Amino acid sequence: MRRRRPRAPTWTATLTWKAAVFITVMCCALAALLGVLVHTAVTRETVSEARDKALARLADATRAYEAGEVLPPDSGIDPAGLPTSLRDLAVSGRRGTVVADAHGRAAMWAAGPADGRALATEIDYSMSAHTIDRLDRAIVGSSLLAIAVTLLIGAFAVSRVTRRLHQTARVARRISAGDLDARVDDPCTANPWRPQDEVAIVAGALDTMASTLQRKLLAEQRFTADVAHELRTPLTGLSAAAELLPSGRPAELVRDRVRTMRALTEDLLEISRLDARTEEVDLAVHELAPLAERVVRASGTETEIRVVGAEAGSGVRVETDRRRLERVLGNLIANAHKHGRPPVVLTVDGPVVTVRDHGPGFPDYLLTGGPQRFRTEGGGKGHGLGLTIAVGQSAVIGAELVLVNAEDGGAEARLTLPEYVQFDEDEPAGRNGDGNGGRAGGDGPTSDGQAEAT
């Protein structure tokens, strides 16, 4: 079994982190290169000067030795502390120099042959070595300071770019969520004569795309609303004319088609109002279970109702717009019967209402991208507007509608409503949106805590 490789933290994938690492590595490499070059050049020059001085003193000592005179200071035959390698070199008949410790300090030794022995001299090299050490420390310190300053300046410059990129990403997410008025308004795009960098080009392209998309959607919304309004008048006349037709199969077909067209027109008008976001919510407190039971009875369908955990006098209350909630539940129930298979079950569990059928389930495109207008699959009839309206009205009343497929088959629509919390315990129980002081409509819960109706 292969072991999973540990994953790096998410912040290591950010542009700021990558830029900081790149700047640090490049600064360190540049500082190391310059430090090595400076150290090498200064050390070579210092050693060369010390060698020349040592060889000059060795020449004086050689002349004094050959003349039988007193040798200069710090010179002698086979002096103590002379490095072995330099001694061997001098005994072999050649001259040389080497830097080594002498009496606890750095010294530059020079040695040459003298009757089979080594004539050597030394000069103090400690000041030069100390100078080189200070130079190395100065190089390291200045390199660290340069790296820190460059890193701060680079981080500031990169953070300005990343802030603009994050702002562009936030605006893109707002646009994808439906806020078509969102714009980046990058400062670099305000003046067309000002040179623009890549971030400004992306921000300008996003703003242009949002404006174009907004114009197209507004034109589509106006077209939908205008068509629906224009169809209302002739459909009203057509409906009245259909009622005057003599009874018979042709008249029933005409009336049925007229009713379908009127329902479609009303759905289009409702969608246009939802798109325009002009809906006003009439919030009130309602008991959820009786409201759901009324919707089921009004639908005229064989839908089973289950109230989970119901106890006498303890119905869950929600703060919502009753008309819109009834519209959402009615559309979900109608969709379950139209495109699914029985049994269809409506479950009330606290502030959550679930509508479940046992059909083939929702198609993949709907689970991925949500309901789409005028698109349905399978042999069922419909225009794809019922779920679209349900999703829109759910958002208006502040509820969350989730469409999933059940694990054991069938489509499941789960609506979560904002639950009403009563903080004043002395408030009368009858103060709710139903206006009847308790659970309105439907039979009371059974003894096992679950109310069922069909």
Side-chain angles (χ1 to χ4, degrees):
M1 181 177 179
R2 297 181 59 184
R3 298 180 60 184
R4 298 182 61 181
R5 298 178 59 184
R7 296 183 59 183
T10 56
W11 52 266
T12 58
T14 61
L15 182 60
T16 303
W17 165 254
K18 293 179 179 178
V21 172
F22 176 77
I23 293 173
T24 303
V25 172
M26 293 303 298
C27 287
C28 290
L30 182 61
L33 178 61
L34 293 178
V36 170
L37 293 177
V38 172
H39 172 82
T40 302
V42 173
T43 301
R44 183 184 295 114
E45 182 179 358
T46 303
V47 171
S48 178
E49 291 179 357
R51 180 181 292 112
D52 292 341
K53 187 182 295 186
L55 290 175
R57 182 174 294 184
L58 178 63
D60 294 341
T62 301
R63 285 193 297 269
Y65 176 77
E66 291 176 349
E69 299 175 356
V70 178
L71 297 177
D74 297 326
S75 300
I77 302 297
D78 293 331
L82 179 65
T84 304
S85 60
L86 186 59
R87 184 190 304 274
D88 295 339
L89 182 67
V91 170
S92 65
R94 292 179 294 174
R95 294 195 310 170
T97 59
V98 68
V99 177
D101 289 336
H103 313 295
R105 59 183 175 83
M108 172 64 76
W109 289 92
D115 299 329
R117 292 182 297 174
L119 174 62
T121 185
E122 64 171 301
I123 62 173
D124 186 11
Y125 190 75
S126 59
M127 293 299 297
S128 299
H130 183 62
T131 301
I132 294 175
D133 290 339
R134 287 190 300 176
L135 176 64
D136 291 341
R137 289 194 295 269
I139 291 175
V140 173
S142 58
S143 298
L144 293 176
L145 179 61
I147 292 173
V149 173
T150 306
L151 188 59
L152 289 176
I153 296 175
F156 174 74
V158 173
S159 64
R160 293 189 60 187
V161 176
T162 55
R163 281 199 301 268
R164 294 165 61 194
L165 289 174
H166 284 306
Q167 172 65 14
T168 304
R170 284 193 294 269
V171 171
R173 284 191 290 268
R174 289 173 56 188
I175 294 174
S176 64
D179 184 8
L180 298 182
D181 294 325
R183 297 292 184 274
V184 180
D185 292 331
D186 192 278
C188 294
T189 61
N191 186 1
W193 302 104
R194 181 177 178 181
Q196 297 184 4
D197 57 8
E198 288 78 1
V199 179
I201 294 175
V202 173
L206 180 63
D207 288 346
T208 302
M209 181 199 70
S211 300
T212 304
L213 181 62
Q214 186 178 36
R215 286 194 300 268
K216 290 183 178 181
L217 289 179
L218 290 177
E220 179 184 347
Q221 293 171 9
R222 284 195 298 269
F223 175 77
T224 302
D226 292 342
V227 168
H229 279 290
E230 292 297 328
L231 286 176
R232 257 184 161 182
T233 301
L235 281 176
T236 302
L238 186 60
S239 177
E243 297 297 330
L244 300 177
L245 294 175
S247 300
R249 180 60 178 170
E252 289 298 326
L253 292 175
V254 171
R255 295 190 187 101
D256 179 67
R257 293 299 89 193
V258 170
R259 284 193 295 269
T260 301
M261 291 186 65
R262 291 192 65 176
L264 176 59
T265 303
E266 294 300 325
D267 288 345
L268 289 175
L269 284 173
E270 187 168 357
I271 287 179
S272 66
R273 289 192 296 267
L274 291 172
D275 290 339
R277 299 184 180 180
T278 58
E279 299 282 56
E280 296 182 359
V281 184
D282 182 17
L283 295 179
V285 180
H286 305 274
E287 288 197 20
L288 185 57
L291 190 150
E293 293 170 1
R294 284 199 303 272
V295 173
V296 171
R297 288 197 299 270
S299 68
T301 60
E302 294 184 357
T303 302
E304 180 183 355
I305 301 177
R306 297 177 181 175
V307 181
V308 179
E311 298 178 1
S314 63
V316 175
R317 296 195 293 171
V318 294
E319 188 174 10
T320 186
D321 187 323
R322 186 180 68 180
R323 181 184 66 83
R324 299 183 189 279
L325 177 57
E326 290 175 347
R327 173 71 159 161
V328 172
L329 295 180
N331 282 13
L332 295 179
I333 293 172
N335 184 81
H337 283 280
K338 183 178 296 184
H339 300 285
R341 287 196 294 267
V344 176
V345 182
L346 185 146
T347 305
V348 179
D349 186 1
V352 181
V353 181
T354 303
V355 179
R356 161 81 185 281
D357 64 58
H358 293 76
F362 292 118
D364 293 336
Y365 80 87
L366 191 147
L367 297 176
T368 303
Q372 299 181 16
R373 305 170 189 180
F374 300 104
R375 178 175 179 179
T376 58
E377 292 187 357
K381 298 180 180 179
H383 305 285
L385 301 180
L387 288 180
T388 304
I389 293 175
V391 171
Q393 292 290 14
S394 299
V396 170
I397 62 177
E400 180 186 10
L401 179 59
V402 179
L403 305 176
V404 297
N405 286 332
E407 295 182 358
D408 54 347
E412 182 176 295
R414 186 165 55 251
L415 180 68
T416 304
L417 295 158
E419 186 175 2
Y420 175 74
V421 180
Q422 180 178 331
F423 294 99
D424 186 2
E425 296 181 355
D426 297 331
E427 183 180 356
R431 290 183 60 185
N432 58 70
D434 296 322
N436 55 14
R439 293 184 57 180
D443 299 330
T446 59
S447 58
D448 61 355
Q450 185 178 85
E452 298 185 0
T454 57

